[in-house]
Amino acid sequence: MTDTRPLTRFSVEPLSRMTRHLSAVAAGRAEPDRVLTGARLLSTYSERILPHREVWIAGGRIAAVKPAGTYRGNAPRRDLGGGLLAPGLVDPHLHIESSMVTACAYAEAALLNGTTTIVCDSHEIGNVLDADGIAWMLEDARAAPLNIYLTVPSTVPATSPELETAGGDLDAAKIAALFDAWPEAIGLGEKMDFVAVCEGDPRAHAIIQAALERGRPVSGHIYGRDFVAAYAASGVTDTHEAIDRDIADDLLEAGIWIYLRGGPPTTPWHSLPKAIGTILDYGAAAKRICVCTDDRDAQDLLAFGLDWVVREAVRMGVPKVQAWSMGSLHPAARYGLDGEIGGFGGGRRADLVLLDDDLVPQSTWYGGELVVDDRRITPLLDAALSRPYRYPAPAYATMHLPDPLPALTPDLPTGPCRVNAIRTTLPGIELTHEIVDLVPGPDWPSTLGANDLCFVTVIERHGRAGNVAHGLLRAFGLKRGAVASSVGHDSHNVIVAGLNEGDMRVALDALGAIQGGVCVVEDGAVVALVPLPVAGLLSDKRVTAVAEEVRILKEAWDRAGCTIPYMGFNLIPLSVIPEIRITDKGLVLVPGMRIVPLFQAA
């Protein structure tokens, strides 16, 4: 028989309603629901491993931690055989949309990797569907077997309507309304327009004010040590963008929490190895340092969870217990949730993980329920994942491409000129503005080949303006065909790169037909496709199915010769990161925030 018990954050009663019963269990006057015994406890409070302990669980919460063998009653008991029991991980900053799956589907991968709580910034769906999209994702989150909190998107659009066209526009009033309507909105999401913040932009500061007036912390996103002082003075108190030990040190001393971002080494996100130097080289205390994932596709979400980031910190030289604390108690404390999660204190949720000695999760309890056992999901979790939230119909109709579609490639210049090209280099976060002296050949194929160039085009897809902007990528490595994505951060217009207009149109038609996704085209045929019908950002399949689609996509991406991964490709329109980007309005120089033409006189 299928287990129909609810399994969500709300399955566990608030502590305020449980104190009498929990104290009775702890005092031995009432029976626990279950007991986990014979464990070594990873204490995040004292950063020690405590031997021979057992945990009494009642109502999905921890009633007490006792010496192993203390309990003599008849409640179900599991002997953990000396295994290492730890509090569930808490990811303080991520984007569910980057995983390409819904919040309900995200939960499966998270729990397999020992993560029981996440704090997400849903600015991707906000950029497509405005406040409605955020509300729908929060409904999705409430239905998920995972603790999901929100930092309300602060920068939708990422810059301004002068520089890009988004589907959403979250001003201070809308952000205030989201805070007031949703208790799980516990902070303001990353304030990406750091230049505007530091220069005193009224809109940016009105949004910060809406958060601070409600006692919500403000998350940041910053590049450049020169901006740190003004950013901190603007009320920002965390960032995940510390790219090296020096700026990490500056940020800590300015009162800003550091989230060390660990990404698979083949992606643009792996800044932990350099930024962790503030602890290992400069001797900073770790009490205001956490670890986070930020962005993971479905395949990497399964293989490189927050547990992997913790192990990376250990590999770099951080003690094991401290590293796990940086992934559990520290982020819980940052958001004022440490009375609920992050440790083994009485009354805390029984969100627990059994680890091996290498800190690899083996089993996970969520609200006291066993959801992962021996690295496999249990029937209880499988049943919960089989009842996902269904997004409303408007979320499945967000690809409003211009009709008829204008040319996807620029006209070939008639004489020598200078090109404002975008040079792509690993890891793919920052892009170099390269001025190319171009002497056109007889046609585009010969001209592109002689200058290591390919086309890149951004097409507005929200039905607002119908803009199409042309650019040229240098050193992208594309050998044939085209690649395209509706996940063009952060306005999420469609970005397509190619060597000829025909293949670029095939890619665009493929995405239009399925309401968004990522694809690779070779010789007029789609050879890999990840459909993302929800807002052009999310699949409505289970995470394992999407992970397989992503695996095939990556293989085709590599065969096509692309020198940066597709997640780096998705950043090419992100107009808040240096030095040059392309949006539907044209080529944008950062941080000057001005548009320049593709071709200039030689």
Side-chain angles (χ1 to χ4, degrees), residues 242-262:
I243 61 172
D244 59 40
R245 62 186 183 179
D246 294 317
I247 193 169
D249 220 50
D250 291 350
L251 290 161
L252 281 179
E253 294 299 344
I256 295 176
W257 285 74
I258 299 297
Y259 300 162
L260 297 173
R261 179 176 59 202

Side-chain angles (χ1 to χ4, degrees), residues 153-393:
S154 66
T155 319
V156 176
T159 51
S160 69
E162 289 73 37
L163 296 178
E164 59 187 328
T165 305
D169 181 14
L170 294 182
D171 59 15
K174 290 181 181 178
I175 287 169
L178 285 165
F179 277 129
D180 294 341
W182 298 89
E184 53 265 72
I186 59 173
L188 187 68
E190 57 178 304
K191 202 74 190 80
M192 300 182 67
D193 53 345
F194 62 92
V195 176
V197 170
C198 294
E199 291 181 350
D201 176 73
R203 174 185 165 111
H205 282 267
I207 288 169
I208 291 173
Q209 181 181 352
L212 295 179
E213 285 177 343
R214 289 162 174 78
R216 305 298 203 280
V218 177
S219 297
H221 169 121
I222 183 173
Y223 284 85
R225 299 175 72 184
D226 292 345
F227 293 100
V228 170
Y231 209 44
S234 299
V236 177
T237 46
D238 74 54
T239 183
H240 57 286
E241 295 289 356
I243 61 172
D244 59 40
R245 62 186 183 179
D246 294 317
I247 193 169
D249 220 50
D250 291 350
L251 290 161
L252 281 179
E253 294 299 344
I256 295 176
W257 285 74
I258 299 297
Y259 300 162
L260 297 173
R261 179 176 59 202
T266 56
T267 71
W269 323 124
H270 200 44
S271 53
L272 180 147
K274 291 185 178 179
I276 206 169
T278 188
I279 300 173
L280 301 178
D281 302 332
Y282 294 162
K287 62 184 178 181
R288 289 173 65 87
I289 298 177
C290 310
V291 290
C292 78
T293 58
D294 194 8
D295 293 281
R296 292 286 193 277
D297 64 37
Q299 184 188 29
D300 286 346
L301 183 62
L302 288 164
F304 300 99
L306 188 61
D307 61 313
W308 177 84
V309 184
V310 169
R311 292 193 297 274
E312 279 293 285
V314 173
R315 190 172 70 84
M316 296 291 150
V318 176
K320 284 184 180 181
V321 180
Q322 184 182 82
W324 195 270
S325 298
M326 287 161 55
S328 53
L329 179 62
H330 294 201
R334 190 279 180 271
Y335 289 110
L337 297 171
D338 50 319
E340 184 78 354
I341 54 177
F344 283 101
R348 274 57 167 187
R349 283 182 57 99
D351 297 339
L352 310 174
V353 186
L354 181 65
L355 306 169
D356 67 16
D357 285 345
D358 293 322
L359 302 186
V360 176
Q362 305 299 308
S363 301
T364 304
W365 289 263
Y366 176 65
E369 299 286 353
L370 184 63
V371 291
V372 175
D373 196 15
D374 194 23
R375 301 292 298 153
R376 296 180 178 86
I377 66 172
T378 64
L380 175 63
L381 179 57
D382 188 57
L385 296 168
S386 299
R387 301 186 294 269
Y389 171 79
R390 174 74 180 182
Y391 280 77

Side-chain angles (χ1 to χ4, degrees), residues 34-81:
R34 60 183 52 84
V35 174
L36 303 179
T37 191
R40 293 171 293 146
L41 252 58
L42 190 156
S43 172
T44 54
Y45 300 137
S46 60
E47 294 194 354
R48 296 178 295 178
I49 293 178
L50 308 177
H52 311 303
R53 295 297 196 273
E54 65 186 26
V55 181
W56 297 3
I57 297 171
R61 293 184 178 274
I62 295 171
V65 175
K66 304 275 189 175
T70 301
Y71 181 69
R72 301 290 185 179
N74 296 317
R77 190 172 359 196
R78 176 162 172 166
D79 192 327
L80 300 182

